Amino acid sequence: MGRHSRKGPATTGGDTEALADADAGAGREGVRPGPGSGRRRKSADAPTGTDGHAPFQHTGHVRGGHPEQREPGGGWGTGPQQTVPRRAQQTGARPLVPGPRREFVEAFDAPPAPPAPRGPSAPPAPPADPDGSVGERDEQPSSGDTGAPASAKSARGRTITGIAAAAVTTVLAVVVAGQVAHDDGGADTARSAGVDRDGTDGASRSDDRSTPKPAQVKPLSYAEKMAKAYPLAPKLHGSGKFETVPGSAKAPGRGHRYRYRIDVEKGLGLDAGLFARAVQETLNDDRSWAHDGAMTFERISSGDPDFVITLASPGTTGDWCRKSGLDTTVDNVSCDSAATERVMINAYRWAQGSSTFGPDKLFAYRRMLINHEVGHRLGHNHVSCGTQGALAPVMQQQTKSLDIDGIKCRPNPWVYPVS
């Protein structure tokens, strides 16, 4: 765009006729000049300036074949038209190049001009193009701004641009502040929110609460463990190697003292301590063989015992019972291997019980196992129930059946039960 056009001096000499022709054609379309070479010619009689250059002639002609455009406004337009002194025209002095318009200089010092009042008939301004840049929206005047001065338009554009710049600056400040707060572990955020965690007034709610303790599982009691079934396969055949349960338990009563040791087959996964406690408490119960001070039992883990109460897998139990001519594989039962030192307790029956007692009488069944097999070691043989509905004798084979010869009895773990 031709925004840096110059105004030359007044024409002289032979140019007077050309100007006269131009005046004569006023009101109609100007005569289109002939094509030129793109250069301006100098008149031979044109006066030379003090700097050795002649002023431009025929300022009404075109430059480079394009008509000169004079647009109102713009950053560096022609500015206010000033009359060139006649003396400067005659002497050929170079005219002053117009500088920036005064309103652009004053706009940076003066406050923004209020928007021009709109008449009642002014149509509403069209919506701004959301895809256009800020500068494009500033330069496109609305229909209601046709009468506003250029300085008001420019001030409004600068105001919108300033607002947009302030918004961008605010967003950047928030992003930077958020990043700093994140790097500082949120301490600045807590302070900006007015939370003072160093004082007692701003303490967290959790400071007033006691630290929750992890849930503690209450251990099972002895009675609960003795009433609980444990997994073990009915045809398990263990390693055949035994471990002695360490420790000892003194004989609590009077009478003849029997010393015994407890061995448990390796790899059973059963509680050996529970088994040892059950043997000691069962044998020394007044309802057992220690009734009325007839005898007492002491557990040892070293020295020479009178017998060894052994907890073993079904397969290992069968191996040791076979040494005494007994077959425990039928019905998977226990035995007293009289030819050896071992009283064999079948681990499957200890862990799972029997159908004759049922799952709700495991505690009683385990006591019966101990009393029955130790009774064999003490010299007692099998005895069957003789009264319908009575408690079965402890030496009856209660694991196999409670109904013998048509007489059905009730399960019983004790030698001297309390009726």
Side-chain angles (χ1 to χ4, degrees):
M1 302 291 286
R3 295 194 135 180
H4 292 74
S5 60
R6 298 174 180 269
K7 290 184 62 179
T11 57
T12 58
D15 293 335
T16 305
E17 294 179 359
L19 293 176
D21 293 339
D23 294 336
R28 72 175 184 267
E29 182 178 0
V31 179
R32 188 180 299 274
S37 62
R39 296 183 178 180
R40 287 185 174 84
R41 299 179 180 179
K42 291 195 301 181
S43 175
D45 56 351
T48 303
T50 58
D51 56 356
H53 296 278
F56 290 119
Q57 302 296 322
H58 305 289
T59 57
H61 291 182
V62 298
R63 297 174 58 190
H66 295 280
E68 183 176 2
Q69 300 182 13
R70 301 181 181 275
E71 298 176 2
W76 292 87
T78 57
Q81 302 295 324
Q82 298 180 356
T83 304
V84 180
R86 187 174 186 84
R87 182 177 180 182
Q89 296 178 7
Q90 294 176 355
T91 58
R94 183 184 299 274
L96 297 177
V97 178
R101 295 189 305 194
R102 183 64 181 172
E103 59 268 19
F104 275 84
V105 177
E106 294 176 349
F108 290 92
D109 298 328
R118 299 184 180 183
S121 61
D129 183 8
D131 297 330
S133 64
V134 175
E136 291 174 349
R137 290 196 294 269
D138 293 342
E139 292 178 1
Q140 295 175 358
S142 61
S143 58
D145 293 340
T146 52
S151 60
K153 298 178 183 179
S154 300
R156 185 180 307 154
R158 284 191 302 276
T159 301
I160 297 176
T161 303
I163 293 174
V168 172
T169 304
T170 303
V171 172
L172 291 177
V174 170
V175 172
V176 172
Q179 184 64 34
V180 171
H182 175 73
D183 295 339
D184 292 344
D188 292 341
T189 305
R191 287 194 293 271
S192 64
V195 178
D196 183 8
R197 299 191 181 275
D198 295 334
T200 57
D201 294 338
S204 173
R205 277 196 316 138
S206 61
D207 295 341
D208 299 334
R209 301 178 181 178
S210 60
T211 303
K213 297 180 179 180
Q216 296 180 352
V217 179
K218 183 180 178 180
L220 296 177
S221 65
Y222 167 71
E224 290 171 335
K225 290 179 181 179
M226 287 293 288
K228 184 178 184 298
Y230 302 98
L232 199 138
K235 295 184 178 181
L236 176 65
H237 198 301
S239 63
K241 298 180 180 180
F242 304 106
E243 286 183 327
T244 299
V245 177
S248 62
K250 296 295 184 179
R254 61 184 186 272
H256 181 78
R257 185 179 64 177
Y258 288 94
R259 299 174 68 186
Y260 69 95
R261 189 182 78 222
I262 290 183
D263 287 353
V264 176
E265 187 176 11
K266 293 181 179 180
L268 286 180
L270 297 176
D271 189 343
L274 176 65
F275 179 70
R277 179 179 176 180
V279 170
Q280 178 69 8
E281 293 191 8
T282 299
L283 292 177
N284 286 290
D285 194 292
D286 189 62
R287 294 168 292 180
S288 183
W289 300 110
H291 175 69
D292 203 16
M295 61 190 68
T296 187
F297 299 88
E298 179 181 355
R299 181 172 71 88
I300 63 173
S301 57
S302 62
D304 295 328
D306 294 312
F307 50 89
V308 178
I309 300 178
T310 306
L311 182 65
S313 64
T316 302
T317 297
D319 293 342
W320 280 87
C321 291
R322 193 175 299 114
K323 292 179 180 181
S324 298
L326 303 173
D327 185 6
T328 57
T329 59
V330 178
D331 298 322
N332 215 359
V333 293
S334 304
C335 82
D336 168 40
S337 182
T340 69
E341 63 178 356
R342 298 190 182 275
V343 176
M344 302 301 297
I345 303 297
N346 191 318
Y348 171 74
R349 291 300 180 185
W350 174 263
Q352 294 289 312
S354 71
S355 60
T356 53
F357 278 71
D360 58 334
K361 290 186 171 77
L362 268 175
F363 197 167
Y365 177 79
R366 287 166 179 163
R367 282 172 164 168
M368 186 276 297
L369 269 182
I370 296 169
N371 280 324
H372 182 91
E373 300 307 332
V374 171
H376 281 305
R377 176 63 58 163
L378 296 174
H380 299 280
N381 296 319
H382 288 148
V383 178
S384 298
C385 178
T387 304
Q388 180 75 23
L391 291 174
V394 75
M395 294 309 295
Q396 182 172 325
Q397 291 179 302
Q398 298 182 59
T399 298
K400 294 182 177 181
S401 176
L402 290 173
D403 190 349
I404 299 176
D405 297 332
I407 299 175
K408 186 174 183 180
C409 296
R410 292 179 291 147
N412 170 45
W414 299 113
V415 180
Y416 301 96
V418 178
S419 54

